[in-house]
Amino acid sequence: MKQWKPLIASLVVIALAMGALAAWKKLGGSPGPAPYNDNRARATPLPSNGEPGGLKYEAVPLENLPELDPLGLWPRDGQRISSVEFWVMWQTTGFSQCRLLATSDQRDWFDLGSTGGEDHFLQASLAYFGSSMTFAVEFDAGGTRYRSAPRTVHFGQGAHFTRRSYEFTLGDGLNQTFPIEVFGRNPRRLSLDAFKSVWFPDGLVTYVGHGREREGNDGGEVAFGVQDPALLEGRGCQGFLEMYDVVTDTYDRTRIDFRR
């Protein structure tokens, strides 16, 4: 009998462990997190104020369309976005009626809005879909209707613009600058290479000056400048300013309208 005592003790320990595991599962326990794959972007939970705010989108069925990406479609697949609300941008070679679609589960797609023209931009909200969203753009080209390949973006806590758009009036002097507010990072810690202008006319030279920090070290402003406003033809133009936070590997863009 003595020789069976170690085996009996082992069986008792196993039975107790299995009972504890069953009770833990019944109370709502779950396995630990899966290992993080460094080749995929990690989604960051949205900030506490990231609520849909009454925003409602309409679920729509998808036709079978050939796949093609429009010119300059942004954000890129897998990109980390530092603002809950962000711009989706693209261009077409001629006038096109387009619409922006998005989903959080690859099954139910929602219509986020439509646009017509050659330069297209619409706002999307991650608050409606969670910390990750997949989007696609439908557009016309050469008499054929296309849909872009699905792209997934993720929310990441990083430097972002406090406003989605700005409007400034240009005078006649050289090197006119305008304040652009930044939150989430002291802009003095962002290099000038962190900023890039897109969609402005080729002849218009723009630049970003050194930042000024806000009290509390959680943001501030940068000076967005135009070298020679006299080179701007017509009554104005619009473009976008991009900011990249290398610390968090996140991007953001704000729209800027210049008027004469």
Side-chain angles (χ1 to χ4, degrees):
M1 184 65 180
K2 183 180 297 186
Q3 64 184 3
W4 293 99
K5 285 185 178 180
L7 178 59
I8 293 173
S10 299
L11 291 175
V12 169
V13 170
I14 293 173
L16 290 173
M18 293 180 66
L21 180 61
W24 178 71
K25 288 184 176 180
K26 188 174 182 179
L27 291 174
S30 59
Y36 171 54
N37 182 352
D38 289 329
N39 294 323
R40 296 177 61 87
R42 186 199 298 267
T44 305
L46 292 173
S48 59
N49 62 350
E51 298 295 335
L55 187 65
K56 292 185 178 180
Y57 295 127
E58 179 184 358
V60 293
L62 297 187
E63 316 173 53
N64 289 324
L65 295 177
E67 186 174 284
L68 180 68
D69 285 354
L71 299 172
L73 182 58
W74 189 90
R76 298 185 300 272
D77 186 36
Q79 202 163 38
R80 288 165 52 84
I81 303 298
S82 56
S83 176
V84 175
E85 294 183 348
F86 65 97
W87 292 103
V88 178
M89 305 164 47
W90 67 97
Q91 295 175 306
T92 51
T93 54
F95 181 89
S96 176
Q97 291 285 354
C98 309
R99 71 170 178 170
L100 176 62
L101 304 166
T103 180
S104 58
D105 57 14
Q106 302 283 341
R107 295 189 302 272
D108 296 323
W109 287 82
F110 296 87
D111 187 339
L112 271 59
S114 300
T115 176
E118 296 183 2
D119 295 337
H120 309 268
F121 46 91
L122 289 168
Q123 283 194 50
S125 176
L126 282 167
Y128 192 85
F129 297 95
S131 57
S132 295
M133 184 190 87
T134 299
F135 70 92
V137 168
E138 292 184 355
F139 65 102
D140 300 309
T144 301
R145 187 75 171 170
Y146 295 98
R147 183 183 303 118
S148 67
R151 297 184 176 199
T152 300
V153 295
H154 312 273
F155 177 78
Q157 195 82 46
H160 58 277
F161 298 108
T162 59
R163 294 171 55 180
R164 296 299 88 200
S165 63
Y166 288 86
E167 183 173 326
F168 300 119
T169 300
L170 293 171
D172 297 325
L174 298 175
N175 293 312
Q176 297 180 40
T177 60
F178 305 91
I180 304 292
E181 296 178 341
V182 173
F183 192 79
R185 176 104 35 228
N186 180 351
R188 295 183 66 85
R189 298 182 181 275
L190 297 170
S191 71
L192 298 184
D193 293 337
F195 297 91
K196 180 175 71 174
S197 297
V198 294
W199 282 24
F200 287 103
D202 292 336
L204 190 71
V205 178
T206 62
Y207 59 91
V208 173
H210 288 287
R212 183 171 63 183
E213 67 181 295
R214 180 191 297 115
E215 185 178 353
N217 204 36
D218 60 351
E221 63 182 37
V222 295
F224 184 65
V226 177
Q227 190 177 78
D228 187 359
L231 298 176
L232 179 61
E233 299 179 357
R235 301 185 62 180
C237 69
Q238 66 182 7
F240 289 79
L241 178 62
E242 177 180 292
M243 176 170 55
Y244 173 63
D245 188 342
V246 67
V247 175
T248 56
D249 188 28
T250 55
Y251 292 81
D252 192 23
R253 285 183 177 183
T254 186
R255 193 184 84 202
I256 298 177
D257 292 331
F258 283 127
R259 297 288 177 259
R260 296 296 300 271

